[in-house]
């Protein structure tokens, strides 16, 4: 049984740590050549260091010239130091002129002047459990600030990163408002454990589990849970930092294998209190329409005359609409000498481009920080956000097969049919597995309410100069209720009606203690971190349902009163799970003479998810850096302003596997029964459902990174270059078990590898910068080469394909020597003189069958890129961004359902299939006919704004009015709605990649907005 170490025992380690650190400090005094760090003076001087714009400077070195006593500023730019009135302080920070200030009182305020007009490499960047100057970073870390976010209608924070950071790929699982988004960093590293990075919001690591209830299958497929990050108001985000390599993410150990995304929300800033009102109005429409046969073309195609119903309907126009959305956000921020405050409230109301779909969210946030005791010895932070989300969905479950989704019904619908009959009722198609899509929408209701609260409090106590103890307590609580109703209808899909209510509750509790110690002597600078973390996750859910419910509009709807009508579905069901993580972590940063850098970290994670013999995993990392531009031979260079080389190695883990899979599971079942008594009644026997494996452990990702950061010609060209090699080892699979095993499969670590390697680059330039006109541009790109090695089975299949007669057919294959999730299908060669499809006969037996399938390139693009530009001319601002990819493929499963055979069965077809000369008698088969390149380039966003300075009104600072457009145009050969999509069609828990099945289309959006500051 797993023995959890009581986290309160950790406090016993604090005195030992203090003695150790103070001893180290005492030893450091021996290295001081001229002055004692702890020279005794008469009083304590406190102060603040800011730049010319009033922004605080974290990490500035403050030295008393007369005594040599030194300290550094904290994250709020504050410092305290022992000195006397009349002495002189010397303040230095990379990229700024050294400033000396005469002490005239116990409080000092210092404003530093920048050496260079722009010094991107000298910014302060968040890292795990702290921050570093960018010039001191040794890992692959990218940070976005608010000014770099994608302007427009962004429900979720992950959309803000799209096209902005090299190595980060954002793919929608659906265009539905609030739908899930697939985020991957440097390729796909797992077969079944997911590739989603760890998200950390204001110091609280989130669970990657769904926090909204999943819709049940009422005959139209399961509706997927929504994006777990859509509870955050994107207007509240201050910065997003991505930790990409193992050196940067290893401090998060067991959950850092897919990278880490640190999200920081806004705080009050120095200056006058700020009141801000943000609003926009958006207008959205479908990004494109599929090219189907029109009614006239359908009639001319030589169809059976019985299939001409006399109408003329564009069914895409019937289910899609011009959607209107609005957003309002109000925030207040203030900073004082001892603390800062930020509060906001917002409301978003977004209609989907498909009828009856919508997303509404109300959020409230409070961030506060205050200091207490002498010289701000104790600092307390509070971060609290609450969101209430109401969503309505459509019947479009990805696992509904070929006939259970409203979008595929609209695309297949015969264009000669009419929406309504002569009596004004919805036209009855009188067909099994094919229905009037408007009728389906009218009798289906799917409503989800999710309430989520995320909060944490941090306390930082300065024990000694440079030595701080931090405490972090976080809570993430969610309650979700989903009501799904299929009213009685004339189809063969639950014709008597069905109502299901699904409830989900989740609780994530975090408790952390850690010490940080900063000390300096001569040219040596150290930052030491050591800590303990405990996190517990609880998930529970219930659901119940009714069948044979009352007709739509008769009496009370079941979501309001389930007892009004219907027969209960017995039994109702529920579940509850919990798992825990207990961790110890440490890190050392060393800087010699601002030239030579070393970072080393180690995290030990214990998890209840893994076997008795492997409760703990250990995740080390090491990185080195050389700031060449600080060497004498480059220090005065007029070309090279900044140049740093760095390299890293490390290991991280992946624990995203189901709970309890290491433990045995059994149940009573008739199939294992026997006749115990003479009455010949069958007695249920014990059926073993799962074989235990006490040796199961984490998937391990080992990563090597070599990089360079540079700035040339006074920032005319700046950026970074990276080479990475990321290898997943010991992947967890549910594979066939050995002889005499009680079950056919077992969860096991196998000696396989998934390798991702490639190059990343980020290049930027301040093309023009003068008093009236500024123009900056950056380009980022990533290559990925993915391959599976040493898989102990011949192949693993996933990617279930939907279509008539295609039950059980899969499109993805995992096989040694090929890319993860490559495609496995027949090779289409064309059509013969009779219009019959021709396929390659691989085995040469003269027949086309399963043995003729071939492996084709997979879904992972070889190259992804983003282009971002910002211009400002006097009061005008103009920005645009492009995104794109090459080298990937998609299985167009939507086209497979719109195959040429539809013309023989009263359904519509894609025009290019008809134009190919194919015969109506061709039966649908998965082949390379439906395999298409996903290459594209897209104008992702464009914005034009104008700022009015209101000098006449003292209470009004500025008004910025802007127009913006998203997804304005896409250049691609892909014939589906959107080449940047990935439908979840997993089989047996193994990831599917690159399948597009009747996905809710993306939208192009035009926005009118305003930001008013008071």
């Amino acid at each position: 049984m797993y023995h959890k170490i009581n986290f309160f025992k950790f406090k016993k380690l604090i005195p030992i740590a203090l003695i150790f650190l103070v001893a180290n400090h005492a030893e450091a005094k021996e290295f001081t050549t001229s002055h004692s760090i702890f020279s005794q003076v008469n009083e304590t001087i406190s102060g603040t260091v800011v730049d010319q714009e009033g922004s605080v400077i974290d990490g500035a070195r403050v030295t008393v010239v007369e005594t040599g006593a030194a300290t550094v500023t904290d994250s709020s730019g504050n410092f305290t130091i022992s000195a006397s009135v009349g002495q002189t302080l010397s303040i230095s920070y990379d990229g700024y002129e050294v400033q000396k200030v005469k002490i005239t009182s116990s409080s000092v305020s210092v404003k530093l002047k920048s050496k260079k007009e722009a010094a991107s490499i000298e910014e302060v960047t968040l890292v795990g459990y702290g921050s570093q100057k960018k010039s001191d970073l040794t890992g692959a870390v990218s940070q976005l600030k608010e000014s770099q976010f994608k302007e427009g209608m962004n429900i979720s924070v992950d959309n803000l990163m799209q096209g902005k950071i090299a190595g980060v790929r954002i793919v929608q699982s659906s265009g539905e408002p609030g739908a899930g988004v697939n985020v991957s960093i440097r390729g796909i590293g797992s077969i079944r454990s997911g590739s989603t990075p760890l998200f950390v919001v204001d110091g609280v690591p989130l669970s990657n589990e769904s926090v909204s209830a999943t819709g049940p299958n009422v005959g139209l497929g399961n509706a997927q849970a929504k994006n777990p990050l859509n509870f955050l108001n994107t207007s509240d985000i201050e910065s997003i930092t991505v930790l990409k390599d193992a050196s940067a993410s290893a401090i998060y150990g067991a959950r850092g294998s897919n990278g880490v995304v640190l999200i920081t929300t806004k705080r009050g800033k120095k200056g006058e209190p700020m009141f801000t009102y943000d609003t926009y109005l958006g207008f959205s429409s479908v990004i494109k329409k599929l090219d189907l046969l029109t009614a006239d073309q359908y009639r001319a195609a030589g169809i059976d005359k019985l299939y001409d119903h006399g109408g003329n309907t564009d069914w895409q126009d019937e289910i899609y609409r011009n959607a209107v959305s609005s957003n309002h956000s109000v925030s207040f921020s203030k900073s004082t000498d001892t603390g800062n405050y930020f509060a906001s409230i917002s409301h978003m109301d977004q209609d989907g481009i498909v009828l009856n779909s919508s997303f509404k969210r109300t959020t409230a946030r409070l961030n506060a920080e205050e200091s207490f005791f002498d010289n701000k010895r104790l600092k307390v932070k509070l971060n609290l956000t609450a969101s209430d989300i109401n969503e309505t969905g459509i019947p479009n479950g990805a696992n509904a097969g070929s006939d259970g989704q409203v979008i595929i019904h609209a695309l297949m619908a015969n264009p000669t049919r009419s929406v309504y009959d002569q009596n004004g009722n919805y036209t009855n198609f009188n067909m099994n597995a094919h229905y009037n899509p408007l009728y389906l929408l009218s009798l289906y209701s799917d409503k989800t309410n999710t309430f989520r609260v995320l909060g944490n409090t941090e306390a930082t106590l300065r024990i000694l100069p440079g030595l701080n103890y931090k405490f972090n307590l976080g809570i993430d609580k969610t309650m979700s209720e989903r009501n799904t109703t299929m009213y009685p209808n004339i189809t063969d899909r639950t014709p008597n009606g069905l109502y299901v209510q699904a409830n989900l509750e989740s609780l994530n509790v975090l408790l952390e203690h850690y010490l940080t110690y900063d000390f300096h002597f001569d040219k040596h600078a150290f930052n030491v971190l050591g800590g303990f973390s405990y996190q517990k996750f609880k998930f529970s859910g219930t659901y119940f349902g009714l069948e044979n419910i009352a007709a739509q509009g008769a009496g009370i709807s079941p979501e309001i009163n389930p007892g009004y009508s219907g027969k209960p579905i017995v039994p109702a069901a529920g579940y509850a799970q919990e798992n825990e993580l207990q961790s110890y972590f440490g890190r050392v940063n060393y800087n010699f003479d601002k030239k030579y850098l070393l970072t080393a970290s180690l995290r030990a994670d214990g998890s209840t998810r893994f076997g008795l013999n492997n409760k703990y995993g250990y995740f080390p990392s090491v990185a080195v850096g050389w700031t060449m531009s600080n060497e004498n031979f480059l220090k005065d260079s007029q070309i090279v302003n900044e140049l740093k080389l760095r390299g890293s190695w490390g290991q991280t883990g992946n624990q995203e596997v189901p709970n309890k899979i290491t433990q045995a599971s059994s149940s009573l079942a008739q199939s294992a029964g026997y006749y115990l008594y003479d009455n010949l009644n069958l007695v249920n026997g014990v059926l073993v459902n799962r074989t235990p494996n006490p040796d199961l452990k984490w998937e391990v990702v080992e990563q090597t990174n070599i990089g360079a950061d540079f700035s040339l010609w006074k920032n005319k060209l700046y950026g970074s270059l990276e080479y990475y090699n990321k290898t997943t080892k010991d992947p967890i699979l549910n594979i066939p078990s050995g002889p005499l095993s009680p079950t056919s499969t077992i969860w096991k670590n196998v000696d396989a590898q998934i390798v991702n390697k490639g190059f990343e680059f980020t290049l930027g330039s301040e093309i023009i910068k003068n008093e009236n006109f500024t123009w900056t541009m950056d380009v980022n790109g990533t290559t990925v080469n993915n391959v599976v090695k040493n898989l102990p089975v011949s192949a693993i299949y996933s990617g279930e394909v939907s279509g008539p007669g295609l039950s059980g057919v899969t499109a993805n294959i995992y096989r040694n020597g090929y890319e993860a999730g490559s495609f496995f299908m027949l090779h289409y060669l064309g059509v013969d003189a009779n219009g019959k499809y021709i396929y390659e006969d691989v085995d040469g037996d003269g027949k086309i069958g399963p043995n003729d399938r071939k492996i084709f390139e997979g879904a992972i693009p070889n190259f992804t890129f983003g282009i971002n530009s910002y211009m400002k001319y006097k009061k005008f601002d103009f920005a645009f961004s492009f995104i794109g990819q090459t080298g990937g493929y998609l299985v167009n499963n939507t086209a497979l359902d719109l195959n040429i055979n539809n013309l023989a069965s009263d359904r519509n077809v894609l025009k290019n299939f008809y134009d190919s000369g194919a015969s109506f008698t061709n039966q649908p088969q998965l082949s390379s006919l439906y395999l298409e390149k996903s290459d594209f380039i897209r104008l992702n966003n464009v914005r034009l704004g104008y700022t009015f300075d209101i000098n006449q009104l003292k209470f009004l600072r500025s008004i910025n009015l802007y127009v913006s457009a998203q997804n304005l145009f896409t250049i691609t050969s892909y014939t589906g709605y959107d080449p940047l999509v990935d439908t979840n069609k997993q089989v047996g828990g193994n990831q599917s990649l690159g399948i597009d099945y009747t996905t809710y289309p993306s939208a192009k959006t035009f926005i009118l907005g305003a930001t008013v500051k008071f």
Side-chain angles (χ1 to χ4, degrees):
M1 183 176 179
Y2 175 61
H3 176 65
K4 183 182 73 180
I5 298 175
N6 192 320
F7 57 81
F8 291 108
K9 291 183 180 179
F10 181 76
K11 64 183 180 182
K12 296 180 181 179
L13 300 176
I14 295 178
I16 299 174
L18 291 177
I19 293 171
F20 174 77
L21 291 173
V22 171
N24 276 353
H25 203 143
E27 291 179 9
K29 292 170 64 178
E30 298 178 7
F31 290 90
T32 305
T33 57
S34 57
H35 302 291
S36 169
I37 293 178
F38 291 110
S39 299
Q40 296 298 313
V41 292
N42 294 328
E43 63 180 302
T44 299
I45 306 299
S46 62
T48 303
V49 179
V50 299
D51 61 17
Q52 290 173 297
E53 297 179 353
S55 299
V56 300
I57 295 180
D58 178 7
R61 183 170 174 81
V62 181
T63 306
V64 181
V65 174
E66 291 79 5
T67 66
T71 187
V72 294
T73 57
D74 61 20
S75 59
S76 299
N78 299 319
F79 70 89
T80 58
I81 196 167
S82 297
S84 298
V85 172
Q87 292 181 331
T88 301
L89 295 178
S90 175
I91 300 92
S92 62
Y93 187 71
D94 286 349
Y96 291 82
E97 297 178 2
V98 176
Q99 187 164 348
K100 293 184 178 181
V101 178
K102 196 82 169 178
I103 302 174
T104 59
S105 67
S106 60
S107 180
V108 178
S109 180
V110 181
K111 181 177 289 187
L112 294 184
K113 296 180 179 179
S114 175
K115 285 181 181 178
K116 303 179 179 70
E117 292 185 346
S120 61
I121 208 168
E122 295 156 359
E123 299 171 356
V124 174
T125 302
L126 284 179
V127 293
Y129 301 98
S131 61
Q132 281 185 278
K133 290 183 291 185
K134 192 173 180 181
S135 59
D136 291 342
L137 289 174
T138 52
V141 179
S142 298
Q143 179 170 282
L144 292 179
K145 294 187 177 180
E146 182 187 10
S147 59
Q148 298 169 282
F149 293 160
K150 185 178 77 172
E151 295 283 359
M153 192 159 56
N154 298 299
I155 288 181
S156 177
V157 63
D158 36 26
N159 283 322
L160 299 175
M161 299 186 288
Q162 192 167 49
K164 302 292 186 180
I165 299 177
V168 179
R169 185 168 182 248
I170 313 293
V171 182
Q172 294 189 114
S173 63
S174 167
E176 187 173 9
V181 175
N182 301 319
V183 181
S184 60
I185 299 175
R186 293 182 167 180
I188 303 298
S190 182
I191 295 177
R192 65 169 302 119
S193 299
S195 297
T196 303
L198 173 67
F199 290 91
V200 181
V201 180
D202 289 327
V204 179
L206 305 182
S207 168
N208 282 334
E209 301 286 345
S210 297
V211 293
S212 64
T214 300
N217 190 345
V218 294
L220 302 171
N222 293 86
Q224 297 298 311
K226 299 302 180 71
N227 189 340
L229 290 175
N230 64 22
F231 76 103
L232 289 171
N233 174 20
T234 54
S235 296
D236 290 343
I237 307 301
E238 177 73 27
S239 67
I240 300 173
T241 305
V242 180
L243 313 181
K244 293 186 283 189
D245 72 337
S247 169
S249 59
I251 197 67
Y252 288 100
R255 291 177 291 170
S257 66
N258 296 318
V260 181
V261 179
L262 307 178
I263 300 168
T264 304
T265 56
K266 294 179 180 178
R267 326 198 74 79
K269 296 181 180 179
K270 292 289 184 181
E272 294 293 322
M274 177 77 73
F275 184 86
T276 304
Y277 171 59
D278 283 309
T279 184
Y280 66 71
L281 185 65
F283 305 90
S284 303
S285 58
V286 67
I287 193 171
K288 65 179 285 189
K289 288 168 58 179
L290 300 191
D291 191 11
L292 304 165
L293 293 182
T294 65
D296 291 339
Q297 291 169 340
Y298 192 84
R299 292 185 179 99
I303 59 169
D304 190 318
K305 298 303 181 182
L306 293 176
Y307 300 158
D308 184 353
H309 303 284
N312 187 349
T313 305
D314 186 325
W315 290 98
Q316 293 183 88
D317 286 345
E318 295 297 331
I319 66 165
Y320 299 136
R321 64 179 173 183
N322 292 320
V324 179
S325 303
S326 63
N327 183 73
H328 305 276
S329 179
V330 177
S331 64
F332 170 77
S333 62
K334 182 181 180 181
S335 178
T336 67
D337 290 338
T338 58
N340 60 75
Y341 307 89
F342 176 86
S344 72
I345 188 169
S346 70
H347 179 74
M348 170 182 276
D349 189 340
Q350 180 178 351
D351 287 335
I353 57 172
V354 179
L355 295 173
N356 298 353
S357 59
S358 67
F359 177 92
K360 297 180 181 180
R361 180 185 65 201
T362 301
T363 67
R365 169 169 288 278
L366 174 62
N367 291 345
E369 179 180 349
E370 192 54 84
S371 302
F372 302 91
F373 306 141
D374 59 304
N375 301 312
K376 304 177 183 178
R377 181 175 294 272
L378 175 65
K379 293 183 179 179
V380 178
K381 288 183 181 180
L382 172 68
N383 305 298
L384 181 64
T385 185
S387 69
D388 184 69
I389 298 173
N390 289 283
E391 300 164 278
T392 59
I394 62 170
N396 210 49
N399 63 338
S402 63
D403 57 356
Q405 300 192 26
V406 69
I407 291 178
I408 195 61
H409 284 302
L411 297 175
M412 288 194 302
N414 186 329
T416 69
R417 290 187 182 273
S418 300
V419 178
Y420 303 100
D421 61 22
Q422 294 178 347
N423 299 319
N425 299 317
Y426 288 109
T427 300
N428 184 357
F429 286 6
N430 289 313
M431 296 175 65
N432 288 333
H434 186 40
Y435 326 106
N436 185 328
L438 275 298
Y439 177 62
L440 276 184
L441 282 172
S442 71
L443 53 87
Y444 178 85
S445 173
D446 180 27
K447 299 179 181 179
T448 305
N449 174 253
T450 303
F451 182 76
R452 187 172 188 177
V453 176
L454 172 67
N456 70 306
T457 182
E458 296 180 19
T460 303
L461 177 66
R462 187 178 70 252
I463 301 172
L464 294 171
L467 177 62
N468 294 288
Y469 162 72
K470 286 192 175 184
F471 168 79
N472 183 21
L473 174 64
I475 295 178
D476 182 8
K477 173 72 173 177
T478 303
M479 294 175 290
S480 180
E481 177 183 306
R482 190 165 195 160
N483 293 280
T484 306
T485 307
M486 184 74 168
Y487 286 100
N489 58 82
I490 59 174
T491 74
D492 57 351
R493 296 285 167 161
T494 57
N496 294 323
L498 181 66
Y499 163 77
V500 178
Q501 182 183 114
N503 301 281
L504 182 148
E505 288 193 22
S506 66
L507 177 64
N508 167 7
V509 179
L510 171 73
L511 182 63
E512 292 179 328
H513 307 266
Y514 53 101
L515 293 166
T516 59
Y517 186 37
D518 291 278
F519 59 98
H520 311 257
F521 58 91
D522 289 344
K523 297 179 180 180
H524 306 272
F526 291 88
N527 172 271
V528 182
L529 166 73
F532 168 83
S533 176
Y534 170 76
Q535 196 163 11
K536 185 173 184 177
F537 306 91
K538 296 179 67 176
F539 297 90
S540 62
T542 60
Y543 61 89
F544 67 90
L546 304 168
E547 57 186 358
N548 299 325
I549 61 176
Q552 188 175 22
I556 302 173
S557 62
E559 66 188 72
I560 298 174
N561 182 5
Y564 174 76
S565 67
K567 176 184 176 182
I569 300 174
V570 181
Y575 64 92
Q577 295 187 20
E578 63 179 53
N579 64 284
E580 300 169 273
L581 274 172
Q582 182 173 262
S583 312
Y584 300 89
F585 54 89
R587 181 177 61 214
V588 176
N589 293 318
Y590 171 65
N591 183 329
F592 176 72
D593 198 23
K594 300 181 181 178
K595 298 177 185 177
Y596 311 109
L597 311 169
L598 171 68
T599 299
S601 70
L602 176 67
R603 181 163 179 136
D605 276 310
S607 173
T608 57
R609 282 183 168 176
F610 293 99
L612 290 174
N613 300 333
N614 285 300
K615 282 298 180 188
Y616 276 86
Y618 301 91
F619 305 99
S621 76
V622 63
V624 294
W626 177 25
T627 307
M628 294 178 63
S629 53
N630 286 343
E631 297 286 0
N632 290 333
F633 59 85
L634 281 178
K635 199 168 188 178
D636 298 321
S637 171
Q638 298 301 307
I639 298 175
V640 179
N641 308 117
E642 307 286 351
L643 178 60
K644 179 174 64 177
L645 304 180
R646 47 188 168 76
S648 69
W649 171 91
Q651 292 182 333
T652 50
N654 190 344
Q655 66 138 21
E656 296 304 317
V657 294
N659 291 323
K660 304 179 182 179
I661 62 173
T662 64
Q663 304 171 23
S665 173
S666 59
S667 61
L668 294 176
Q670 286 186 353
S671 61
Y674 53 95
Y675 296 96
L676 181 63
Y677 304 108
D678 293 337
N679 59 11
L680 298 181
N681 289 332
L682 181 67
V683 178
N684 289 342
V686 176
L687 181 68
V688 178
N689 301 319
R690 185 170 56 230
T691 300
N693 181 5
D695 296 321
L696 195 72
K697 60 183 180 180
W698 278 274
E699 292 185 352
V700 174
V701 173
E702 184 173 288
Q703 189 169 177
T704 302
N705 192 90
I706 300 172
D709 303 316
F710 58 89
S711 175
L712 310 175
W713 298 293
K714 296 183 179 180
N715 233 37
K716 287 298 182 184
L717 179 64
Y718 56 86
S720 63
L721 304 173
E722 311 272 356
Y723 166 78
Y724 65 91
N725 189 319
K726 174 182 172 183
T727 302
T728 300
K729 300 179 178 180
D730 301 323
I732 301 171
L733 297 176
N734 191 18
I735 63 173
S737 55
L740 303 180
S741 175
T743 59
S744 60
T745 62
I746 184 173
W747 290 88
K748 190 177 180 180
N749 296 96
V750 299
D751 293 329
Q753 294 183 355
I754 302 174
V755 180
N756 291 277
K757 57 185 178 181
F759 293 90
E760 293 177 357
F761 67 86
T762 300
L763 300 175
S765 175
E766 289 183 345
I767 301 172
I768 300 174
K769 186 172 184 180
N770 56 45
E771 184 177 351
N772 292 323
F773 186 45
T774 300
W775 181 15
T776 61
M777 177 174 285
D778 68 75
V779 180
N780 66 78
T782 306
T783 68
V784 178
N785 182 6
N786 178 284
V787 66
V788 177
K789 296 181 177 181
N790 304 326
L791 198 64
V793 294
S794 60
I796 294 174
Y797 302 97
S798 189
E800 184 178 13
V801 172
S802 298
L806 294 171
S807 178
V809 175
T810 57
N812 291 132
I813 186 171
Y814 293 84
R815 178 173 287 178
N816 288 328
Y818 294 92
E819 179 182 299
S822 293
F823 296 117
F824 191 47
M825 60 186 64
L826 298 175
H827 185 195
Y828 170 77
L829 300 177
V831 295
D832 64 16
N834 298 317
K836 289 291 187 178
Y837 288 150
I838 305 172
Y839 303 105
E840 182 180 356
D841 184 5
V842 175
D843 62 6
D845 65 355
K847 297 181 294 184
I848 300 299
N851 293 333
D852 295 309
R853 290 177 294 175
K854 295 178 62 175
I855 296 179
F856 293 84
E857 293 182 73
I860 304 171
N862 303 130
F863 179 60
T864 58
F865 62 91
I867 304 171
N868 303 283
S869 176
Y870 175 78
M871 291 178 240
K872 185 175 182 180
Y873 176 70
K874 294 184 178 179
K875 304 296 183 181
F876 288 95
D877 61 271
F878 177 69
F880 64 84
S881 65
F882 286 90
I883 60 172
Q885 65 184 36
T886 62
Y889 287 79
L890 280 176
V891 172
N892 192 340
N893 196 171
T894 305
L896 181 56
D897 265 11
L898 298 172
N899 64 85
I900 194 65
N901 185 250
N902 283 2
L903 291 177
S905 55
D906 204 4
R907 294 172 172 87
N908 205 354
V909 66
L910 286 171
K911 186 175 182 297
N912 65 316
F913 289 166
Y914 174 74
D915 292 341
S916 69
S919 169
F920 300 2
T921 60
N922 282 306
Q923 296 299 312
Q925 294 193 72
L926 177 62
S927 73
S928 58
L929 171 62
Y930 308 104
L931 186 63
E932 302 183 42
K933 286 187 175 182
S934 62
D935 299 357
F936 76 91
I937 182 170
R938 170 176 293 165
L939 180 55
N940 201 36
N941 185 266
V942 61
R943 169 198 156 111
L944 175 64
Y946 185 84
T947 301
F948 298 87
D949 289 332
I950 313 298
N951 299 322
Q952 296 83 356
L953 301 176
K954 294 183 179 180
F955 67 89
L956 189 60
R957 299 187 183 188
S958 67
I959 299 176
N960 179 263
L961 301 180
Y962 65 89
V963 292
S964 177
Q966 291 177 259
N967 296 342
L968 200 57
F969 67 82
T970 302
I971 301 173
T972 182
S973 62
Y974 182 63
T975 62
Y977 282 119
D978 191 348
L980 191 62
V981 70
D982 192 2
T983 307
N984 181 9
K985 301 285 284 183
Q986 60 89 18
V987 175
N990 300 314
Q991 287 194 81
S992 66
L993 298 171
I995 298 179
D996 177 10
Y997 179 54
T998 62
T999 305
Y1000 190 118
S1002 299
K1004 56 183 176 183
T1005 302
F1006 296 90
I1007 295 170
L1008 300 175
T1011 300
V1012 185
K1013 295 183 178 181
F1014 299 89

